[in-house]
Structure formats: C-alpha cells, structure tokens
Amino acid sequence: LRLACVVGARPNFMKMAPLLRAFEAYPQVETVLIHTGQHYDRNLSDVFFEELGIKHPDVSLNVGSGSHGVQTAQIIEKIEQVLQDASAEGTPFDRLIVVGDVNSTMAATLASVKLGIPVAHVEAGLRSFDRTMPEEINRIVTDALSDMLLVSEPSGIENLKQEGKPEEQLYLVGNVMIDTLMHLLPKARQSDVLSRYELQPSQYGLVTLHRPANVDDPKILESLLDVLIDISKRLKLIFPIHPRTEKRLTDFGLLDKVKSADAIVLAPPLGYLDFLALSSQAKVIVTDSGGLQEESTVLGVPCLTLRPNTERPCTTEGGTSTLIGNDAALLNQCLEDVLEGRYKNGTAPKVWDGKAAERIASVIVERC
Ligand code: UD1
C-alpha cells in the first residue's frame, strides 16, 4: 500500500507526525512524505521536523509564498508531476493523505483526484460557515473531493451529513494534533523557554495573531494591539510573531507601538516544544489560531479567541475557549473572570485521547 502524505504549512507538521508513526506498525504500508514548501522558513518548518521526529521529506516541491492563486496553482502543477512520475515508474500511489485546511491541503487534493488517486482528509468536516476565510474554502473543496473523511469532533460528522456525504465515508477518529500534544508534553516540560523570556508559570498570557481578517487591515490590527496593550497593564504577555503579522506591523508602521509596550514580550515564531511549554503554563491564551483553541481546551487553559466564529465548536461549547470577535469590552470582561478565578472550566471530547492516528491508520489500511 503506497501512500502519498502531503504537508505544507506549520500546523500540518503536527498533524502528520503521529500518522507517519502509526503507519510504521504496518509493514505493508509505504509512506512517501511530500512537502509543498508553503512554509519554508527554518522556524516555521525545519524546526518542526526535528522536534516532532518527522522523517526528511521524500519529495520537496519548494513552492514558497505567493498569492492564493499562484501558490495553489504551483502546488497543483508540481504535485501532479510527482504523482504521474510515480505511476510512470511503476510505483503508483494507492491513496493521498492530506491534513487540515491550508492551501497545500486543497491543492494536493485537486491534483490527486483528477488523476484518479483517492484522497483521505484528516480533520474533515470542520465548518466556520464563513466563506471569507481562505481555510473555509479549502475545507469545503477538500471534503467535497475526498472519499475518506476522518473527523476530529462530532460537529464535523453533522456538517458532512448535511452536505450529503454518504455515512460510510465518515469516521469520527479524534484529533491528531492532540496526539502530538500528549506525546510531547513531557518533553515540553523540560523546555527553558519561560526562564529565557523571564516568565513565571501562570503569571503571563500567551498571544498569537495571524489571520488575514485580523492582521491585513491596519485599523483592525491597531485596535487589537490597543487591546493587547491594555491587557498587558494587568498581565505580562508573550507574543511570538508570525511572519505575516510581522510584515503587516512593519508595513503599517505599528511595530514600534507594540515594541514600546513594556509588558509585551515579543518573540520570533517558536518551535513546537517551546510553544507547548508556554501554552501549557499560561494563565490565559489570546489567539486567532484554530489549533490553539483545541490545545488550550485539552490543557485546561482559558482561551480568548479573537474571531467571530469557529469551525471547532466543541472548544467553545464544552471547552475553555470563548469567541471574542473584536469586542474589547467582552475581552476585558473575560480577562477579569480569568484573573478573578471565575472563568469557566472545560473538557475536551472523549475521543481526543491521543490515539487518533492509530485509528486513522487502521481505517486506511483496512478500507484503502
Ligand atoms: C497558513 C495557512 C493558515 C495557517 C497558517 C499557520 C492558508 C490559506 N493559510 O497561513 O491556515 O493557520 O499557515 O501558520 O494556507 N511567510 C514567511 N515564511 C514562511 C512562510 C510564509 O515569511 O515560511 C510569510 C510570507 O510573507 C507569506 C506570508 O507569511 O506571504 C503568508 O504565508 P502563507 O503560507 O500564504 O499563509 P499563512 O498566513 O502562513
């Protein structure tokens, strides 16, 4: 059984790592790891391969950054070639596996199904119902074209049924990102990142921001910064800056503003272990990331989500996340609740037990 496993951007690496490990239990399976190169910076890519123990990519497409059209088109063109070459050499792929919702996920899926290679989508069915999000488009297209839909939370099953997907293609398997978290939490506890940034456990907030809707408009970005500066007067903040956000802050002349806030510690994008050390010991997380809503729920850390909606409703309904949108008053209220110990507790779905990848491997090997 020959499987093409595709990764491109930072969150993909955390999701693919446990899958590659799980397939090692099956001698009849050969995995070929294809890295599109959507993320190429050392600290967005290589560091994750090292820390997560992922094998060196078997194929690197080196696509890099570009507009959505250019990036997507280049991935389609290059991956199509790889898949065709494999067939021509007499070692065709039986299936392609994609994870998450980034441009690489959708592009690889399109190329693959058009060549008749079926696709399994890991983290299928999530819907924000907000088509202004590029990831929502990627999710819809990827799911429409995949015939094996491996779902992380119950809402995903409902969404896919609503879209008319046949039940025999749907599998509630759990969350591979949480597999990685559980696997590496003991190692993350050995990180010295807190002392490097002069932080005390439970006495700081962790901030991340990178969604186009939050960082690409100068007015919105500045208003979010004002809120962060406000929070930092009460709680020290650490803010590892995504390259997109750093670029926007520079372009909009806002970098000095955030740099001059004494209680906001700026950091470059961090590796997986340092980041997990920070998220697991934070008093609160303020973010617009999807994965971090899930991780904070598992870690039991309050998460104030700077988005109007979420494709991961179990993190708000049962979990520790609250949707803040860009409502500064609500953010302050929730922060107050956190600091006063009144903020809600949360629990993660039972199926987030660290064994999602094993279930996925078993389904794929059985049903391929
Ligand atoms: C992508 C995903 C997003 C995911 C995020 C995690 C899509 C549509 N978006 O967003 O869902 O949450 O990754 O980080 O796929 N850049 C670098 N170095 C790199 C890569 C990018 O500096 O290695 C800069 C470039 O200026 C680039 C910008 O970041 O233009 C955006 O990169 P891109 O891959 O287009 O999207 P992300 O914002 O990273």
Side-chain angles (χ1 to χ4, degrees):
L1 189 62
R2 219 162 171 257
L3 303 173
C5 303
V6 180
V7 292
R10 184 168 60 176
N12 289 168
F13 310 139
M14 285 89 108
K15 295 170 191 170
M16 193 57 84
L19 283 169
L20 293 172
R21 230 180 10 257
F23 282 122
E24 283 171 12
Y26 297 89
Q28 71 272 39
V29 172
E30 184 196 352
T31 58
V32 174
L33 182 61
I34 303 174
H35 186 349
T36 65
Q38 177 174 346
H39 283 177
Y40 46 86
D41 276 359
R42 184 177 151 70
N43 55 8
L44 286 192
S45 181
D46 301 4
V47 169
F48 288 81
F49 277 71
E50 290 157 21
E51 294 189 344
L52 300 170
I54 308 175
K55 66 174 167 176
H56 198 73
D58 298 294
V59 183
S60 294
L61 305 180
N62 299 314
V63 162
S65 299
S67 69
H68 283 266
V70 166
Q71 192 176 56
T72 305
Q74 286 191 357
I75 298 169
I76 294 175
E77 186 178 352
K78 292 193 171 186
I79 219 159
E80 179 180 67
Q81 193 65 53
V82 172
L83 300 177
Q84 279 176 328
D85 287 351
S87 296
E89 287 157 14
T91 50
F93 288 106
D94 298 295
R95 181 170 281 283
L96 181 122
I97 302 178
V98 291
V99 293
D101 57 13
V102 303
N103 286 344
S104 300
T105 309
M106 177 189 70
T109 300
L110 263 166
S112 185
V113 291
K114 287 214 170 185
L115 292 172
I117 303 168
V119 174
H121 182 207
V122 175
E123 204 185 83
L126 298 182
R127 295 289 180 272
S128 64
F129 302 101
D130 174 1
R131 291 196 180 196
T132 65
M133 274 182 91
E135 294 83 0
E136 182 75 353
I137 307 296
N138 293 340
R139 291 188 279 258
I140 292 168
V141 173
T142 303
D143 286 341
L145 300 178
S146 302
D147 72 345
M148 205 179 262
L149 297 150
L150 301 143
V151 176
S152 57
E153 65 162 284
S155 71
I157 298 282
E158 289 315 306
N159 295 333
L160 292 167
K161 280 188 192 162
Q162 287 287 330
E163 290 173 18
K165 280 285 178 180
E167 267 186 61
E168 64 271 19
Q169 295 184 355
L170 314 182
Y171 304 88
L172 182 63
V173 288
N175 190 323
V176 279
M177 195 162 217
I178 301 306
D179 289 8
T180 293
L181 183 151
M182 290 182 174
H183 184 62
L184 288 176
L185 194 54
K187 209 166 175 191
R189 293 214 167 100
Q190 294 162 19
S191 156
D192 65 355
V193 67
L194 267 71
S195 57
R196 280 196 339 258
Y197 288 101
E198 296 174 0
L199 301 167
Q200 302 294 328
S202 297
Q203 290 180 34
Y204 64 90
L206 170 64
V207 178
T208 79
L209 269 185
H210 77 286
R211 295 248 157 255
N214 282 337
V215 306
D216 285 0
D217 178 306
K219 282 209 190 78
I220 295 176
L221 183 55
E222 186 163 22
S223 71
L224 288 170
L225 288 186
D226 287 337
V227 170
L228 295 179
I229 291 168
D230 226 30
I231 298 177
S232 75
K233 292 176 183 147
R234 309 178 60 191
L235 184 69
K236 194 168 176 179
L237 297 178
I238 177 150
F239 184 6
I241 299 195
H242 185 283
R244 169 192 282 279
T245 309
E246 182 169 14
K247 191 164 182 293
R248 296 293 184 253
L249 287 169
T250 310
D251 292 350
F252 303 152
L254 291 169
L255 199 55
D256 284 343
K257 180 168 181 161
V258 59
K259 275 190 176 159
S260 62
D262 290 341
I264 301 183
V265 183
L266 294 181
L270 297 170
Y272 185 79
L273 296 170
D274 281 350
F275 194 84
L276 180 55
L278 282 177
S279 59
S280 59
Q281 297 175 83
K283 181 85 179 165
V284 63
I285 293 170
V286 181
T287 189
D288 59 8
S289 147
L292 206 39
Q293 295 169 52
E294 300 180 330
E295 291 168 334
S296 60
T297 282
V298 170
L299 294 167
V301 176
C303 182
L304 310 182
T305 301
L306 301 176
R307 288 180 46 191
N309 51 46
T310 181
E311 59 287 335
R312 295 161 159 93
C314 74
T315 62
T316 52
E317 283 156 21
T320 59
S321 166
T322 301
L323 291 181
I324 302 291
N326 54 8
D327 183 342
L330 179 59
L331 183 71
N332 276 317
Q333 176 59 52
C334 287
L335 189 74
E336 187 77 30
D337 290 348
V338 170
L339 295 176
E340 301 293 325
R342 285 191 307 259
Y343 190 82
K344 65 178 176 178
N345 290 317
T347 50
K350 274 208 186 67
V351 72
W352 293 9
D353 59 357
K355 299 195 167 101
E358 287 169 36
R359 288 185 204 105
I360 292 169
S362 143
V363 166
I364 290 178
V365 170
E366 235 169 74
R367 309 280 309 250
C368 195

